[in-house]
Every structure is written in C-alpha cells, then in structure tokens.
C-alpha cells in the first residue's frame, strides 16, 4: 500500500460514499493531498477504505462535480486546486465537515450576503408584481414573532423571486439550510425578532412604492445590524470555539 493511500481511513457509515467524500474534502482542504497530485489507483483506495469500487466511484464523481479532483480516464485521478475550481457545493460541504461552525466561514457567509442581498432588494422594488407584493404583505404583517426565522427566510425568498433574477433565487436557496441551522445565533434574542418584524414592514413599504434605493438602504441596514448581533452572540457564548449546529 502506498503512502498516499494510507492517508485515508476505513469508512464504516451506512452511506459510505458520503463519508468518503467528507474524508477526501478534509484531506484536500488540509493540504494532505496537494494540487496536481495523482491519487493511487481505484482498487488501492477502495482496499484501504474497505469499500467496493462502485461505492468509491460514486464518491469520486461527487468530488469531481465539486471541483476537487479530475478523473482522467486511462491516466488516473488528480487533485485539483479547490481555490481555482471549487463551487458552492464544495463550500457547503466544508461548512458541514465539523460539528461546529467556523467563525471565518460565518464571516464569509455574512459578507457575501451583505454584498448581494441589498442589490436583490433594489431589483425587487423595480420588478415586483402586484401578486408578489400582496404575498409579501401577508408575511410582513403576520402577528406575533413565533417562527420568525422561517418568516424571515420567506421574506427574503419572495424578494429574490420579485427581483426577477434566477441567480439570486438559487443562491438564496443554497444558503437556506445554513441559515436554518444557525438562525438561533440571531433569532433567540426577542429584541432581534422585533427588529426583523420591523424590517419586514419597512421593506414591504419601500418595495410597494417601487423605491429601489430605499429598499437597498433598508436591506443593507438590517444586514449590518444582523451581522453585528450575530458576532456579539457568538463572542459571548462561544469565543474562538465555534458555534454548535442545531
């Protein structure tokens, strides 16, 4: 058995290909497999992982889709530089590698949201339909603050749809599970839930009036507030340890 093959551990979970994918992502991101490195032959990797080759191939296909490896038929499997070829699926997989949410990844996630979502709100103000506005109103003016996380996700998703930009919708869909798993960092505080309720009404009013810049401003303000409160909660409760998933 080669040294490279020994970098992988036998897998034991019922969905074996998923554990192989997670293990390979971890090894590549950690630098234990370097960009350009040729991996051992399939049969050697499968033997070391104690899985059959069909299971290994299923995992390798997923890794290839994520931009982590290149399968050159008749030549071998090569590690790619994930910083050049990685995509959102890889980002999501990295987020869920461990039981805690790395603060650097949290910062990256909130940062990209702060860049994209205000523009999405401005487009929604310009492009929304009467039907979309009525739907937004029904969510924004709902009574109480229970299930505020889901309500907030619904508001953002509707704004994405109203923008008319398919990419906004898909990006928001991609991050929804991430926000559901970590929404308690923000929505566990009653004051934050009240702030979100006010935001829902304010953004509805701006979009109803087709005020694109006002919509952009309202969205930017609430995202800045959200980010500040999340990191305050994070620092108080977790420090440098990372937040647990729920």
């Amino acid at each position: 058995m080669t040294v490279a093959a020994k970098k992988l551990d036998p897998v034991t979970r019922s969905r074996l290909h998923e554990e192989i994918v997670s293990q390979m992502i971890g090894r590549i991101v950690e630098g234990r497999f370097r960009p350009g490195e040729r991996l051992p032959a399939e049969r050697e990797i499968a033997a070391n992982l104690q899985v059959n080759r069909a299971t290994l191939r299923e995992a390798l296909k997923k890794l290839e889709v994520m931009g982590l490896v290149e399968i050159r038929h008749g030549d071998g499997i090569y590690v790619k530089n994930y910083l050049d070829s990685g995509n959102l699926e890889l980002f999501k997989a990295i987020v869920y590698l461990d039981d805690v949410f790395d603060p650097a990844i949290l910062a990256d996630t909130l940062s990209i949201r702060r860049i994209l979502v205000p523009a999405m709100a401005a487009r929604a103000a310009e492009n929304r339909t009467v039907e979309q506005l009525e739907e937004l109103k029904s969510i924004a003016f709902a009574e109480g603050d229970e299930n505020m996380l889901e309500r907030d996700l619904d508001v953002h998703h509707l704004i994405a749809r109203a923008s008319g930009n398919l990419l906004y919708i898909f990006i928001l869909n991609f991050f929804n599970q991430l926000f559901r798993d970590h929404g308690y960092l923000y929505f566990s505080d009653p004051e934050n839930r009240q702030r979100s309720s006010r935001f829902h009404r304010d953004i509805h009013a701006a979009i109803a009036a087709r005020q694109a810049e006002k919509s952009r401003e309202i969205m930017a303000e609430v995202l800045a507030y959200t980010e500040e409160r999340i990191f305050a909660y994070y620092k108080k409760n977790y420090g440098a340890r990372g937040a647990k998933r729920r």
Side-chain angles (χ1 to χ4, degrees):
M1 185 181 298
T2 64
V3 173
K6 291 179 180 178
K7 294 178 182 177
L8 298 168
D9 303 320
V11 292
T12 56
R13 270 186 4 202
S14 56
R15 301 195 69 177
L16 296 177
H17 76 279
E18 291 184 356
E19 187 169 340
I20 296 169
V21 169
S22 295
Q23 191 178 153
M24 288 293 293
I25 291 171
R27 300 298 193 271
I28 292 172
V29 171
E30 292 165 4
R32 296 176 66 175
F33 290 118
R34 309 294 296 177
E37 180 177 348
R38 180 178 176 177
L39 295 179
E42 278 188 9
R43 64 177 177 276
E44 186 176 357
I45 298 176
N48 189 69
L49 293 170
Q50 298 176 12
V51 299
N52 59 48
R53 291 175 70 176
T55 298
L56 175 61
R57 285 171 183 161
E58 188 175 1
L60 289 173
K61 287 178 183 176
K62 188 162 187 178
L63 291 167
E64 188 173 36
V65 168
M66 289 181 178
L68 281 171
V69 302
E70 179 183 359
I71 301 172
R72 302 177 190 172
H73 297 287
D75 186 8
I77 307 159
Y78 290 83
V79 177
K80 299 179 73 172
N81 187 334
Y82 71 92
L83 295 177
D84 293 334
S85 55
N87 51 42
L88 287 177
E89 282 300 321
L90 175 58
F91 179 83
K92 185 176 181 180
I94 291 172
V95 169
Y96 286 94
L97 273 179
D98 301 313
D99 291 332
V100 296
F101 197 11
D102 186 292
I105 293 177
L106 174 61
D108 287 346
T109 304
L110 295 175
S111 176
I112 197 66
R113 190 172 72 150
R114 191 160 22 90
I115 292 169
L116 291 176
V117 177
M120 179 183 80
R123 287 288 300 274
E126 296 169 343
N127 298 331
R128 58 84 178 165
T129 65
V130 172
E131 292 77 15
Q132 288 166 338
L133 185 63
E134 284 301 310
E135 191 175 349
L136 179 59
K137 181 179 180 179
S138 69
I139 300 169
F141 289 89
E143 294 294 328
D145 65 359
E146 65 278 0
N147 299 320
M148 185 57 75
L149 170 59
E150 287 300 324
R151 193 188 306 176
D152 194 65
L153 290 174
D154 287 344
V155 165
H156 281 84
H157 188 261
L158 186 55
I159 291 171
R161 283 169 43 205
S163 75
N165 187 313
L166 197 61
L167 187 57
Y168 283 146
I169 299 171
F170 288 172
I171 289 174
L172 220 57
N173 288 345
F174 176 84
F175 283 114
N176 271 355
Q177 189 58 52
L178 193 62
F179 294 143
R180 283 191 177 95
D181 286 346
H182 301 93
Y184 71 94
L185 294 170
Y186 178 79
F187 288 104
S188 59
D189 187 331
E191 183 179 345
N192 293 340
R193 294 197 296 272
Q194 291 175 11
R195 178 66 180 87
S196 288
S197 183
R198 187 167 72 253
F199 155 68
H200 296 164
R201 295 191 296 270
D202 290 347
I203 197 68
H204 167 266
I207 290 175
R210 296 196 184 275
Q211 295 176 323
E213 288 310 309
K214 184 66 173 177
S215 298
R216 186 194 306 271
E217 177 185 324
I218 291 169
M219 185 66 79
E221 286 178 357
V222 78
L223 292 180
Y225 171 86
T226 301
E227 192 168 330
E228 179 183 334
R229 296 305 294 264
I230 285 176
F231 279 114
Y233 181 99
Y234 204 103
K235 183 177 180 180
K236 177 182 177 181
N237 291 278
Y238 302 106
R241 292 180 291 116
K244 287 284 185 180
R245 308 193 189 290
R246 291 194 175 179

